[in-house]
Amino acid sequence: MGSNAKRKLVGILTSGGDCPGLNATIRGVGKALERNGVRLVGFLDGFTGLALDRYIELDSSSLSGILTVGGTILGTSRNKPHKMLIGDKIVDMTDVIVENYHKHDLDALVCLGGGGTQKNAMRLADAGLNVLTLPKTIDNDIYGTDVTFGFDTALGIATEAIDRLHSTATSHHRVIVVEIMGHRVGWLALGAGVAGGADGILIPEIPYEIDKLAEALRERAKMGKRFSIVAVAEGAMSVEMAEKVAKWASKKESASDKAEKRKASKKLKEFHEEHMSHTIDLTKELEKRTGLEARLSILGHLQRGGIPSAADRVLSTILGAACAEAIMDGVENAMVAMRNGKAVPVPLKEIAGKIKFVPREHQWIDAARALGVSFGD
Ligand code: F6P
């Protein structure tokens, strides 16, 4: 590792939804920096801490014993620098953040976060700060990295849940629908569905027709399989819903005036609200269309809680150490990503604002289809 005498103080924060591996990553960055004589301060509750100048020193004693601890010792929030909820007002705090960064004479700001955080980091880089990011999320949807920390742990939790649902589904001869997180992508539902041996898997990347899924479940029943498990990504949509959303999203994108844009946003919000009860409606419909008793299990935030898996601890430690190395080497405005098994810095401008969807021809999908799993298409 090269050394750079000018780099004396680094700030770090965690932003967006929490996930297992955040503390392991903070520890990785902090311990590796400390060995190079660099101090680390942690800003509290995401970008809010940087805006309000609320921080703690992160030294060897505060970094000790956090490798296995879930959540984040720094706290987190979904507050954005340019649209921050302060009291009951939304305020643009970008200038205040820039001021605080310079007041502390930071050499770099490390942001641990998901897709939204990458965009916010880019905004701060555009405002003149040196920002390095690390890819965190159970959703595994960050563009430019093969994998994100938090995903492996959540995959294990969701898979274990499916395993446990199997025995009760078998005993009662039921269809059990299990809703799995993932925001707009299907990595977690697909991975857990394959690992847990689900009979149906619905993901946003493959809009579904309920009749096709119901038909597949009826076929199973005819073959004497008296239960079925359907893994459903929270963002999965029927063909009709996906078409409506795509239509209004493109109207919003191409709107020529504010009124048109507002109308499109309102429509999208309505669809989002309608979609909130999606798996409840789906379960009822499946019961009706198959004649089989059905139940729904929503895994929710269980998937984000608790200790990180061994794989996530290894990944977090690799990424944390690589981030410290990048800072020492003078790398600026980059996300430290995993590519082909190696931690490498990728320019923020190449990844900010993009989403890593599951490719339609992904081998997890191919393998599941080969075994007769229904994707409802
Ligand atoms: O991005 C992580 C994630 O858990 C998504 O899977 C989910 O859609 C979202 O966060 C839930 O956010 P919140 O915890 O704010 O409800």
Side-chain angles (χ1 to χ4, degrees), residues 78 137-139 181-183 234 301 304:
R78 293 200 183 275
T137 170
I138 63 164
D139 304 335
M181 275 187 170
H183 198 211
E234 61 177 344
H301 292 81
R304 288 205 330 227

Side-chain angles (χ1 to χ4, degrees), residues 15 30-31 93 103 120-121 155 171 207 234 242 264 273 279 295 319 326 335 340 347 351-352:
S15 176
K31 287 205 167 195
M93 296 296 276
K103 188 182 93 182
N120 292 323
L155 183 59
S171 308
E234 61 177 344
E273 270 152 27
T279 45
R295 291 287 188 276
L319 289 173
M335 175 177 82
N340 303 318
I351 56 116

Side-chain angles (χ1 to χ4, degrees), residues 276-335:
M276 302 254 277
S277 59
H278 158 246
T279 45
I280 300 176
D281 304 338
L282 177 80
T283 308
K284 283 189 199 145
E285 271 310 302
L286 280 178
E287 188 164 76
K288 224 193 279 171
R289 292 176 199 222
T290 59
L292 301 163
E293 197 182 14
R295 291 287 188 276
L296 168 66
S297 222
I298 298 177
L299 301 186
H301 292 81
L302 270 178
Q303 294 159 105
R304 288 205 330 227
I307 61 169
S309 65
D312 269 336
R313 290 180 215 176
V314 172
L315 179 61
S316 292
T317 305
I318 292 172
L319 289 173
C323 178
E325 184 171 346
I327 292 169
M328 301 306 297
D329 287 347
V331 172
E332 297 195 338
N333 300 326
M335 175 177 82

Side-chain angles (χ1 to χ4, degrees), residues 178 180-194 200-209 213 230-239 242 275 278 282 357-362 364-366 368-369 373-377:
V178 50
I180 296 173
M181 275 187 170
H183 198 211
R184 279 179 287 176
V185 305
W187 290 106
L188 202 50
L190 175 62
V194 170
I201 301 177
L202 303 182
I203 59 173
E205 291 85 346
I206 307 178
Y208 67 86
E209 288 176 52
L213 176 63
V230 183
V232 183
E234 61 177 344
M237 281 182 202
S238 64
V239 170
H275 190 259
H278 158 246
L282 177 80
F357 290 101
V358 179
R360 292 285 287 239
E361 69 287 358
H362 195 275
W364 293 0
I365 297 177
D366 296 343
R369 286 197 197 277
V373 174
S374 170
F375 284 83
D377 64 339

Side-chain angles (χ1 to χ4, degrees), residues 58-77:
L58 292 171
D59 52 21
S60 38
S61 75
S62 46
L63 293 172
S64 206
I66 64 168
L67 175 65
T68 58
V69 179
T72 161
I73 56 164
L74 296 176
T76 187
S77 74

Side-chain angles (χ1 to χ4, degrees), residues 142-220:
I142 301 184
Y143 192 86
T145 185
D146 296 342
V147 67
T148 59
F149 62 86
F151 176 65
D152 181 76
T153 311
L155 183 59
I157 297 168
T159 302
E160 193 195 329
I162 294 180
D163 292 346
R164 289 180 185 278
L165 290 169
H166 255 107
S167 58
T168 172
T170 318
S171 308
H172 287 268
H173 319 301
R174 284 174 173 161
V175 171
I176 296 198
V177 174
V178 50
E179 184 191 298
I180 296 173
M181 275 187 170
H183 198 211
R184 279 179 287 176
V185 305
W187 290 106
L188 202 50
L190 175 62
V194 170
D199 310 294
I201 301 177
L202 303 182
I203 59 173
E205 291 85 346
I206 307 178
Y208 67 86
E209 288 176 52
I210 192 157
D211 276 331
K212 292 204 171 149
L213 176 63
E215 172 62 20
L217 301 186
R218 274 199 308 268
E219 276 304 307
R220 262 179 67 78

